[in-house]
């Protein structure tokens, strides 16, 4: 009996040894695609649908546009962040080192005209469809909320189903989709500089109009108390639901912070993790990259004397399977920081999140690189 279980243990250990791969994730070297060029994939999501992988990225492809020096949010003729030809690129990876661009999720001609921001896909187990939403601004500058598409495959062939998702918070901007284990879908949405959560219909193509209790006890509890915030993410770890976001950082070079809320259920009640912002630290006055810090944005919104230790605005939390369980990797976009000023080459910051015994997220600091065992 003892020998039998020892054998099983050894076998399990051997399988883990064979299957896991130690990789170094670098924040100083650019990520490269299968052709050896810098991966053009920003403000999107990275997730896995099948336990055996791969991980899929759905992200914005900005193209070889040369950004004028200065503030990323300047909407001049030649600014790169507001063009209409950005693709929703799909990229496959097993190890976060080898990246394979698969193609575009939706052809530009088959989606509503405008500037695309923050594509986000999830799997809907209620109808076995892959659901992709993206935020867009029309050619007349109107924030049109979200378009939604579905596909039977994670790779592409997404068909636009709804050109304007019926959700309560408008005019909607950044968002993340979250699918709970029971099949319920949620969208965490930033609109009018405030963030709230809406329960979706079973097909994930509309909101039910039911909103979470984000500010318990307030006259209007539907929104988190923080103002001028965006780029929210939502995930679950050990029965705690987490929401992370930071001050608005419209392609801002200096990066933004990380505020944490937790709840026992996606509908709330949500509670702020005590303590200061996890990523805004006293500034050193350093200017990195091609652009200049946008005044009043990112960490500078709440305190002009701080800047982001991550040098980035939150993108997505990647849930990585390792032999020791799940690791949660914070990723952020480093706007205006491509050394050659090409928007497609703006880098990202990747840092593993660390949690306290009580589930709190510990302060996050910049690392040049880190190792991770990927299953
Ligand atoms: C998006 O894809 C189309 C078709 O491949 C291409 O013509 C266009 O340049 C791409 N846009 C960007 C911004 O790279
Ligand atoms: C949008 O949702 C609201 C409430 O959830 C509902 O009353 C309304 O009929 C919906 N509109 C459309 C066009 O579906
Ligand atoms: C500021 O400088 C200190 C000391 O060199 C360093 O530890 C810290 O990471 C720097 N902060 C930023 C945001 O670069």
């Amino acid at each position: 009996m003892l020998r039998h279980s020892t054998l099983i243990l050894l076998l399990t250990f051997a399988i883990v040894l064979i299957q896991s791969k130690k990789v170094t994730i670098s924040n100083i070297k650019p990520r490269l695609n299968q052709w050896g060029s810098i991966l053009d994939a920003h403000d999107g999501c990275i997730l896995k649908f099948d336990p055996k992988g791969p991980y899929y990225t759905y992200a914005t492809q900005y193209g070889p546009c040369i950004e004028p020096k200065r503030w990323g949010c300047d909407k001049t003729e030649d600014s790169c962040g507001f063009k209409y030809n950005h693709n929703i690129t799909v990229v496959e990876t097993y190890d976060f080192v080898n990246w394979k661009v698969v193609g575009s999720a939706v052809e530009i001609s088959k989606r509503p005209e405008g500037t695309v921001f923050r594509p986000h896909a999830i799997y809907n187990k209620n109808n076995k469809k892959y659901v992709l939403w993206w935020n867009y601004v029309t050619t007349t500058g109107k924030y049109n909320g979200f378009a939604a598409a579905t596909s039977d495959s994670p790779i592409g062939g997404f068909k636009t189903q709804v050109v304007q998702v019926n959700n309560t918070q408008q005019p909607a901007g950044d968002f993340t989709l979250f699918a709970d284990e029971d099949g319920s879908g949620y969208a965490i949405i930033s609109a009018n500089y405030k963030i709230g959560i809406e329960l979706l219909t079973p097909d994930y193509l509309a909101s039910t109009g039911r909103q979470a209790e984000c500010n318990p006890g307030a006259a209007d509890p539907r929104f988190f108390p923080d103002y001028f915030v965006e780029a929210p993410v939502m995930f679950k770890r050990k029965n705690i639901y987490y929401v992370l976001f930071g001050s608005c950082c419209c392609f801002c070079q200096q990066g933004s912070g990380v505020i944490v809320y937790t709840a026992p259920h996606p509908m709330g009640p949500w509670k702020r993790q005590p303590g200061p912002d996890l990523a805004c630290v006293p500034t050193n006055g350093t200017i990195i990259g091609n652009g200049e810090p946008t005044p009043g944005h990112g960490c500078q919104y709440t305190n002009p004397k701080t800047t982001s230790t991550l040098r980035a605005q939150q993108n997505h939390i990647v849930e990585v399977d390792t032999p020791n369980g799940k690791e949660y990797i914070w990723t952020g976009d480093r706007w205006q920081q491509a050394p050659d000023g090409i928007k497609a080459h703006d880098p990202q910051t990747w840092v593993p999140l660390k949690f306290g015994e009580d589930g709190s997220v510990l302060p996050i600091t910049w690392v040049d690189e880190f190792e991770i065992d990927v299953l």
Side-chain angles (χ1 to χ4, degrees), residues 1-266:
M1 197 62 195
L2 184 78
R3 278 167 76 182
H4 185 78
S5 58
T6 312
L7 188 69
I8 288 176
L9 229 150
L10 275 174
L11 265 173
T12 316
F13 187 61
I15 287 166
V16 167
L17 270 186
I18 291 163
Q19 288 192 338
S20 84
K21 180 178 175 187
K22 200 164 251 173
V23 293
T24 301
I25 297 181
S26 173
N27 287 320
I28 1 189
K29 291 187 210 143
R31 298 180 295 156
L32 303 178
N33 63 23
Q34 68 264 47
W35 307 292
S37 7
I38 296 178
L39 189 62
D40 185 0
H42 310 78
D43 56 294
C45 63
I46 306 167
L47 74 173
K48 180 158 98 162
F49 302 110
D50 176 336
K52 291 199 167 67
Y55 294 80
Y56 288 96
T57 297
Y58 302 85
T60 314
Q61 179 191 38
Y62 287 105
C65 181
I66 297 183
E67 188 83 285
K69 287 182 197 287
R70 200 126 188 266
W71 304 339
C73 209
D74 290 349
K75 290 191 184 88
T76 51
E77 285 273 292
D78 52 353
S79 76
C80 298
F82 304 93
K83 307 256 184 232
Y84 308 132
N85 70 337
H86 300 158
N87 292 297
I88 300 171
T89 189
V90 184
V91 190
E92 240 180 59
T93 187
Y94 285 91
D95 56 13
F96 312 107
V97 174
N98 297 290
W99 299 89
K100 186 176 154 206
V101 175
V102 184
S104 285
V106 191
E107 278 175 49
I108 296 177
S109 60
K110 293 186 177 153
R111 64 174 207 224
E113 247 190 307
T115 305
V116 165
F117 298 111
R118 296 201 180 268
H120 200 115
I122 45 169
Y123 180 66
N124 187 344
K125 66 179 180 189
N126 301 320
N127 58 9
K128 302 193 167 56
K129 298 271 186 204
Y130 296 87
V131 181
L132 172 75
W133 286 25
W134 60 93
N135 176 228
Y136 71 103
V137 178
T138 66
T139 49
T140 54
K142 184 171 170 272
Y143 271 78
N144 233 34
F146 313 112
T150 58
S151 169
D152 292 325
S153 146
I155 292 172
F158 280 86
K159 288 206 173 64
T160 305
Q161 303 289 349
V162 183
V163 294
Q164 192 173 19
V165 169
N166 184 12
N167 69 284
T168 311
Q169 299 163 76
Q170 295 287 355
D174 290 351
F175 75 103
T176 286
L177 296 176
F178 175 78
D180 209 354
E181 280 136 35
D182 66 358
S184 308
Y186 301 86
I188 175 162
I189 295 169
S190 146
N192 293 314
Y193 307 116
K194 297 198 70 104
I195 290 174
I197 299 169
E198 303 192 25
L199 174 67
L200 304 180
T201 53
D203 60 8
Y204 299 176
L205 296 177
S207 167
T208 59
R210 285 191 55 208
Q211 290 176 268
E213 196 183 6
C214 295
N215 192 358
D220 186 353
R222 299 173 303 161
F223 305 100
F224 292 98
D226 313 83
Y227 187 68
F228 202 60
V229 281
E230 62 179 17
V233 298
M234 186 166 168
F235 63 92
K236 183 184 185 184
R237 178 184 178 269
K238 295 186 177 169
N239 292 321
I240 301 176
Y241 294 84
Y242 291 83
V243 157
L244 275 60
F245 53 79
S247 294
C248 294
C249 168
C250 176
F251 296 126
C252 88
Q253 183 265 1
Q254 66 265 45
S256 195
V258 178
I259 305 167
V260 179
Y261 283 85
T262 56
H265 188 275

Side-chain angles (χ1 to χ4, degrees), residues 302-358:
T302 40
N303 182 350
K305 291 198 158 66
T306 61
T307 192
S308 168
T309 173
L310 300 163
R311 309 172 193 171
Q313 177 181 35
Q314 183 164 275
N315 170 54
H316 193 226
I317 308 284
V318 193
E319 298 183 24
V320 181
D321 288 322
T322 79
N324 306 316
K326 253 186 196 177
E327 286 268 8
Y328 294 76
I329 301 188
W330 187 93
T331 68
D333 287 292
R334 296 169 60 192
W335 307 124
Q336 305 284 101
Q337 291 182 44
D340 59 7
I342 295 176
K343 181 113 185 131
H345 296 171
D346 276 349
Q348 286 194 333
T349 301
W350 286 49
V351 177
L353 285 181
K354 293 198 178 73
F355 296 86
E357 291 270 306
D358 60 353

